[in-house]
mmCIF file of all heavy atoms in Angstrom:
data_model
loop_
_atom_site.group_PDB
_atom_site.id
_atom_site.type_symbol
_atom_site.label_atom_id
_atom_site.label_comp_id
_atom_site.label_asym_id
_atom_site.label_seq_id
_atom_site.Cartn_x
_atom_site.Cartn_y
_atom_site.Cartn_z
ATOM 1 N N ARG U 1296 23.794 22.629 41.333
ATOM 2 C CA ARG U 1296 23.420 22.584 42.750
ATOM 3 C C ARG U 1296 24.548 22.040 43.615
ATOM 4 O O ARG U 1296 24.516 22.171 44.843
ATOM 5 C CB ARG U 1296 22.173 21.720 42.939
ATOM 6 C CG ARG U 1296 20.907 22.264 42.266
ATOM 7 C CD ARG U 1296 19.685 21.498 42.759
ATOM 8 N NE ARG U 1296 18.480 21.802 41.998
ATOM 9 C CZ ARG U 1296 17.662 22.815 42.236
ATOM 10 N NH1 ARG U 1296 17.950 23.667 43.218
ATOM 11 N NH2 ARG U 1296 16.575 22.995 41.502
ATOM 12 N N ALA U 1297 25.543 21.412 42.999
ATOM 13 C CA ALA U 1297 26.641 20.805 43.744
ATOM 14 C C ALA U 1297 27.866 21.702 43.681
ATOM 15 O O ALA U 1297 28.363 22.021 42.597
ATOM 16 C CB ALA U 1297 26.962 19.429 43.165
ATOM 17 N N GLU U 1298 28.356 22.101 44.841
ATOM 18 C CA GLU U 1298 29.528 22.981 44.874
ATOM 19 C C GLU U 1298 30.828 22.222 44.657
ATOM 20 O O GLU U 1298 31.882 22.833 44.445
ATOM 21 C CB GLU U 1298 29.584 23.756 46.202
ATOM 22 C CG GLU U 1298 29.645 22.891 47.442
ATOM 23 C CD GLU U 1298 28.257 22.538 47.983
ATOM 24 O OE1 GLU U 1298 27.379 22.150 47.193
ATOM 25 O OE2 GLU U 1298 28.074 22.627 49.210
ATOM 26 N N TYR U 1299 30.779 20.872 44.694
ATOM 27 C CA TYR U 1299 31.982 20.060 44.499
ATOM 28 C C TYR U 1299 31.833 19.175 43.266
ATOM 29 O O TYR U 1299 32.054 17.960 43.309
ATOM 30 C CB TYR U 1299 32.243 19.208 45.751
ATOM 31 C CG TYR U 1299 32.297 20.008 47.025
ATOM 32 C CD1 TYR U 1299 31.339 19.843 48.014
ATOM 33 C CD2 TYR U 1299 33.300 20.949 47.235
ATOM 34 C CE1 TYR U 1299 31.381 20.576 49.185
ATOM 35 C CE2 TYR U 1299 33.352 21.697 48.401
ATOM 36 C CZ TYR U 1299 32.383 21.504 49.372
ATOM 37 O OH TYR U 1299 32.423 22.253 50.532
ATOM 38 N N ARG U 1300 31.456 19.785 42.156
ATOM 39 C CA ARG U 1300 31.160 19.003 40.957
ATOM 40 C C ARG U 1300 32.342 18.178 40.465
ATOM 41 O O ARG U 1300 32.161 17.077 39.961
ATOM 42 C CB ARG U 1300 30.689 19.935 39.824
ATOM 43 C CG ARG U 1300 29.339 20.548 40.063
ATOM 44 C CD ARG U 1300 28.864 21.328 38.859
ATOM 45 N NE ARG U 1300 29.654 22.518 38.599
ATOM 46 C CZ ARG U 1300 29.478 23.683 39.216
ATOM 47 N NH1 ARG U 1300 28.544 23.802 40.146
ATOM 48 N NH2 ARG U 1300 30.214 24.726 38.925
ATOM 49 N N ILE U 1301 33.536 18.713 40.582
ATOM 50 C CA ILE U 1301 34.698 17.993 40.060
ATOM 51 C C ILE U 1301 34.978 16.742 40.900
ATOM 52 O O ILE U 1301 35.599 15.787 40.428
ATOM 53 C CB ILE U 1301 35.951 18.911 40.005
ATOM 54 C CG1 ILE U 1301 37.043 18.299 39.111
ATOM 55 C CG2 ILE U 1301 36.482 19.202 41.389
ATOM 56 C CD1 ILE U 1301 36.693 18.269 37.669
ATOM 57 N N LEU U 1302 34.503 16.712 42.155
ATOM 58 C CA LEU U 1302 34.664 15.532 43.001
ATOM 59 C C LEU U 1302 33.556 14.513 42.787
ATOM 60 O O LEU U 1302 33.706 13.345 43.161
ATOM 61 C CB LEU U 1302 34.686 15.933 44.486
ATOM 62 C CG LEU U 1302 35.759 16.911 44.946
ATOM 63 C CD1 LEU U 1302 35.641 17.151 46.445
ATOM 64 C CD2 LEU U 1302 37.152 16.414 44.600
ATOM 65 N N LEU U 1303 32.429 14.963 42.196
ATOM 66 C CA LEU U 1303 31.245 14.116 42.084
ATOM 67 C C LEU U 1303 30.995 13.687 40.642
ATOM 68 O O LEU U 1303 29.861 13.631 40.184
ATOM 69 C CB LEU U 1303 30.013 14.857 42.629
ATOM 70 C CG LEU U 1303 30.119 15.403 44.045
ATOM 71 C CD1 LEU U 1303 28.807 16.057 44.469
ATOM 72 C CD2 LEU U 1303 30.501 14.307 45.037
ATOM 73 N N ARG U 1304 32.053 13.356 39.919
ATOM 74 C CA ARG U 1304 31.918 12.980 38.521
ATOM 75 C C ARG U 1304 31.247 11.616 38.389
ATOM 76 O O ARG U 1304 31.321 10.784 39.282
ATOM 77 C CB ARG U 1304 33.296 12.941 37.859
ATOM 78 C CG ARG U 1304 34.118 14.219 38.026
ATOM 79 C CD ARG U 1304 35.455 14.108 37.309
ATOM 80 N NE ARG U 1304 36.155 12.874 37.581
ATOM 81 C CZ ARG U 1304 36.915 12.660 38.659
ATOM 82 N NH1 ARG U 1304 37.067 13.608 39.565
ATOM 83 N NH2 ARG U 1304 37.541 11.507 38.817
ATOM 84 N N GLN U 1305 30.628 11.403 37.217
ATOM 85 C CA GLN U 1305 29.974 10.121 36.985
ATOM 86 C C GLN U 1305 30.974 8.976 36.819
ATOM 87 O O GLN U 1305 30.664 7.828 37.126
ATOM 88 C CB GLN U 1305 29.063 10.217 35.757
ATOM 89 C CG GLN U 1305 29.743 10.694 34.476
ATOM 90 C CD GLN U 1305 30.401 9.599 33.671
ATOM 91 O OE1 GLN U 1305 29.969 8.460 33.707
ATOM 92 N NE2 GLN U 1305 31.446 9.948 32.937
ATOM 93 N N ASP U 1306 32.197 9.294 36.388
ATOM 94 C CA ASP U 1306 33.155 8.215 36.114
ATOM 95 C C ASP U 1306 33.721 7.599 37.387
ATOM 96 O O ASP U 1306 34.205 6.466 37.362
ATOM 97 C CB ASP U 1306 34.309 8.744 35.250
ATOM 98 C CG ASP U 1306 35.160 9.773 35.994
ATOM 99 O OD1 ASP U 1306 34.777 10.957 36.001
ATOM 100 O OD2 ASP U 1306 36.185 9.406 36.590
ATOM 101 N N ASP U 1307 33.693 8.338 38.516
ATOM 102 C CA ASP U 1307 34.339 7.819 39.721
ATOM 103 C C ASP U 1307 33.350 7.533 40.847
ATOM 104 O O ASP U 1307 33.726 7.441 42.011
ATOM 105 C CB ASP U 1307 35.424 8.776 40.211
ATOM 106 C CG ASP U 1307 34.866 9.998 40.930
ATOM 107 O OD1 ASP U 1307 33.717 10.384 40.644
ATOM 108 O OD2 ASP U 1307 35.586 10.552 41.782
ATOM 109 N N ALA U 1308 32.065 7.370 40.512
ATOM 110 C CA ALA U 1308 31.071 7.083 41.544
ATOM 111 C C ALA U 1308 31.434 5.803 42.304
ATOM 112 O O ALA U 1308 31.237 5.709 43.518
ATOM 113 C CB ALA U 1308 29.684 6.960 40.925
ATOM 114 N N ASP U 1309 31.960 4.813 41.586
ATOM 115 C CA ASP U 1309 32.338 3.571 42.274
ATOM 116 C C ASP U 1309 33.524 3.783 43.200
ATOM 117 O O ASP U 1309 33.588 3.196 44.293
ATOM 118 C CB ASP U 1309 32.622 2.452 41.268
ATOM 119 C CG ASP U 1309 33.687 2.827 40.247
ATOM 120 O OD1 ASP U 1309 33.946 4.033 40.054
ATOM 121 O OD2 ASP U 1309 34.249 1.908 39.608
ATOM 122 N N MET U 1310 34.455 4.640 42.817
ATOM 123 C CA MET U 1310 35.603 4.916 43.683
ATOM 124 C C MET U 1310 35.158 5.610 44.973
ATOM 125 O O MET U 1310 35.702 5.374 46.053
ATOM 126 C CB MET U 1310 36.620 5.805 42.946
ATOM 127 C CG MET U 1310 37.260 5.161 41.727
ATOM 128 S SD MET U 1310 38.322 3.749 42.119
ATOM 129 C CE MET U 1310 37.308 2.389 41.533
ATOM 130 N N ARG U 1311 34.144 6.455 44.857
ATOM 131 C CA ARG U 1311 33.657 7.198 46.026
ATOM 132 C C ARG U 1311 32.786 6.344 46.946
ATOM 133 O O ARG U 1311 32.856 6.462 48.172
ATOM 134 C CB ARG U 1311 32.834 8.410 45.561
ATOM 135 C CG ARG U 1311 33.620 9.519 44.928
ATOM 136 C CD ARG U 1311 32.737 10.689 44.565
ATOM 137 N NE ARG U 1311 32.061 10.537 43.278
ATOM 138 C CZ ARG U 1311 30.755 10.524 43.111
ATOM 139 N NH1 ARG U 1311 29.945 10.626 44.155
ATOM 140 N NH2 ARG U 1311 30.221 10.408 41.896
ATOM 141 N N LEU U 1312 31.931 5.501 46.358
ATOM 142 C CA LEU U 1312 30.833 4.930 47.138
ATOM 143 C C LEU U 1312 30.873 3.411 47.319
ATOM 144 O O LEU U 1312 30.216 2.902 48.228
ATOM 145 C CB LEU U 1312 29.505 5.330 46.485
ATOM 146 C CG LEU U 1312 29.261 6.842 46.387
ATOM 147 C CD1 LEU U 1312 27.966 7.141 45.652
ATOM 148 C CD2 LEU U 1312 29.229 7.469 47.775
ATOM 149 N N THR U 1313 31.611 2.689 46.494
ATOM 150 C CA THR U 1313 31.672 1.241 46.699
ATOM 151 C C THR U 1313 32.255 0.874 48.061
ATOM 152 O O THR U 1313 31.774 -0.077 48.700
ATOM 153 C CB THR U 1313 32.468 0.557 45.573
ATOM 154 O OG1 THR U 1313 31.811 0.815 44.324
ATOM 155 C CG2 THR U 1313 32.528 -0.948 45.790
ATOM 156 N N PRO U 1314 33.260 1.597 48.581
ATOM 157 C CA PRO U 1314 33.724 1.282 49.946
ATOM 158 C C PRO U 1314 32.622 1.425 50.989
ATOM 159 O O PRO U 1314 32.574 0.661 51.959
ATOM 160 C CB PRO U 1314 34.849 2.302 50.173
ATOM 161 C CG PRO U 1314 35.325 2.671 48.813
ATOM 162 C CD PRO U 1314 34.104 2.636 47.948
ATOM 163 N N ILE U 1315 31.717 2.390 50.778
ATOM 164 C CA ILE U 1315 30.594 2.558 51.702
ATOM 165 C C ILE U 1315 29.637 1.387 51.569
ATOM 166 O O ILE U 1315 29.152 0.838 52.569
ATOM 167 C CB ILE U 1315 29.872 3.892 51.425
ATOM 168 C CG1 ILE U 1315 30.809 5.069 51.731
ATOM 169 C CG2 ILE U 1315 28.593 4.001 52.245
ATOM 170 C CD1 ILE U 1315 30.226 6.424 51.367
ATOM 171 N N ALA U 1316 29.361 0.975 50.326
ATOM 172 C CA ALA U 1316 28.487 -0.177 50.103
ATOM 173 C C ALA U 1316 29.075 -1.432 50.733
ATOM 174 O O ALA U 1316 28.345 -2.269 51.290
ATOM 175 C CB ALA U 1316 28.268 -0.384 48.605
ATOM 176 N N GLU U 1317 30.383 -1.577 50.659
ATOM 177 C CA GLU U 1317 31.044 -2.729 51.282
ATOM 178 C C GLU U 1317 30.879 -2.671 52.797
ATOM 179 O O GLU U 1317 30.578 -3.685 53.441
ATOM 180 C CB GLU U 1317 32.530 -2.737 50.910
ATOM 181 C CG GLU U 1317 33.299 -3.901 51.523
ATOM 182 C CD GLU U 1317 34.778 -3.861 51.200
ATOM 183 O OE1 GLU U 1317 35.296 -2.765 50.893
ATOM 184 O OE2 GLU U 1317 35.416 -4.921 51.274
ATOM 185 N N ARG U 1318 31.028 -1.497 53.374
ATOM 186 C CA ARG U 1318 30.951 -1.348 54.827
ATOM 187 C C ARG U 1318 29.560 -1.684 55.374
ATOM 188 O O ARG U 1318 29.436 -2.338 56.405
ATOM 189 C CB ARG U 1318 31.322 0.080 55.224
ATOM 190 C CG ARG U 1318 31.439 0.290 56.723
ATOM 191 C CD ARG U 1318 31.758 1.728 57.070
ATOM 192 N NE ARG U 1318 30.592 2.582 56.967
ATOM 193 C CZ ARG U 1318 30.531 3.700 56.258
ATOM 194 N NH1 ARG U 1318 31.573 4.090 55.545
ATOM 195 N NH2 ARG U 1318 29.435 4.426 56.236
ATOM 196 N N ILE U 1319 28.509 -1.244 54.647
ATOM 197 C CA ILE U 1319 27.159 -1.460 55.169
ATOM 198 C C ILE U 1319 26.588 -2.818 54.764
ATOM 199 O O ILE U 1319 25.576 -3.241 55.313
ATOM 200 C CB ILE U 1319 26.193 -0.344 54.721
ATOM 201 C CG1 ILE U 1319 26.007 -0.349 53.195
ATOM 202 C CG2 ILE U 1319 26.674 1.009 55.213
ATOM 203 C CD1 ILE U 1319 24.989 0.660 52.707
ATOM 204 N N GLY U 1320 27.210 -3.485 53.799
ATOM 205 C CA GLY U 1320 26.776 -4.825 53.432
ATOM 206 C C GLY U 1320 25.938 -4.919 52.175
ATOM 207 O O GLY U 1320 25.278 -5.938 51.950
ATOM 208 N N LEU U 1321 25.962 -3.895 51.310
ATOM 209 C CA LEU U 1321 25.188 -3.931 50.067
ATOM 210 C C LEU U 1321 26.033 -4.295 48.851
ATOM 211 O O LEU U 1321 25.478 -4.532 47.778
ATOM 212 C CB LEU U 1321 24.510 -2.578 49.816
ATOM 213 C CG LEU U 1321 23.085 -2.410 50.355
ATOM 214 C CD1 LEU U 1321 22.506 -1.067 49.932
ATOM 215 C CD2 LEU U 1321 22.170 -3.539 49.904
#
């Protein structure tokens, strides 16, 4: 269902989303 599978790997979820969690305060 994801057209960008190579960008959405399980190994780099923290690289993608931890900056967002830091920004919003979680």
